[in-house]
Amino acid sequence: MLNIPMEHGLLLAALLFSLGFIGVLIRRNILFVLMSLEIMLNAAGLAFVVAAARWEQADGQIMFLMVLTLAAAEVAVGLALLVQLYRRYQTLDMDVLSQLRG
């Protein structure tokens, strides 16, 4: 079996996490912010799997299953909130929704 060096896997996880973080900071649409959060969660899960493969332990895969469960719950709640926000205000722009407070 072909082994990928741990540094390459962690570098990919860091790159994905950085892309997700930049997406959270830059995007104004709430749907894209949620997708960027999903990328960040998957990057963290990838880091767990890479580390577990390095030390030949199953703990990383178990943690990845927990991350996937958390991501599924976040998507369910987030999309329900998005549907309600869109029905009420007809927009998903965070700037417009934050101005509605006052």
Side-chain angles (χ1 to χ4, degrees), residues 19 36-37 60 65 84 102:
L19 287 173
S36 296
L37 285 173
L65 288 176
Q84 290 300 320

Side-chain angles (χ1 to χ4, degrees), residues 11 14 17 20 22 30 37 42 47 52 54-55 62 82 92-93 96-97 100:
L11 184 64
F17 192 87
I22 290 170
I30 299 175
L37 285 173
N42 285 327
R54 165 68 172 86
W55 289 291
I62 293 168
L82 285 180
L92 293 178
D93 189 14
V96 173
L97 293 174
L100 293 174

Side-chain angles (χ1 to χ4, degrees), residues 28 30 85 89 91 93-102:
R28 296 288 92 201
I30 299 175
L85 282 172
Y89 300 113
T91 185
D93 189 14
M94 287 193 302
D95 292 332
V96 173
L97 293 174
S98 68
Q99 291 174 357
L100 293 174
R101 240 188 297 161

Side-chain angles (χ1 to χ4, degrees), residues 13-36:
L15 179 68
L16 286 174
F17 192 87
S18 299
L19 287 173
F21 187 68
I22 290 170
V24 167
L25 293 178
I26 292 177
R27 299 303 296 222
R28 296 288 92 201
N29 190 328
I30 299 175
L31 184 62
F32 287 112
V33 170
L34 283 177
M35 289 191 322
S36 296

Side-chain angles (χ1 to χ4, degrees), residues 31-101:
L31 184 62
F32 287 112
V33 170
L34 283 177
M35 289 191 322
S36 296
L37 285 173
E38 288 296 318
I39 291 172
M40 291 170 65
L41 282 171
N42 285 327
L46 178 63
F48 278 124
V49 170
V50 167
R54 165 68 172 86
W55 289 291
E56 298 175 357
Q57 298 289 323
D59 297 344
Q61 284 85 359
I62 293 168
M63 286 300 295
F64 185 66
L65 288 176
M66 292 179 66
V67 167
L68 283 178
T69 305
L70 176 71
E74 181 236 339
V75 165
V77 172
L79 288 179
L81 288 172
L82 285 180
V83 168
Q84 290 300 320
L85 282 172
Y86 188 75
R87 282 184 184 169
R88 187 168 185 178
Y89 300 113
Q90 300 297 316
T91 185
L92 293 178
D93 189 14
M94 287 193 302
D95 292 332
V96 173
L97 293 174
S98 68
Q99 291 174 357
L100 293 174
R101 240 188 297 161

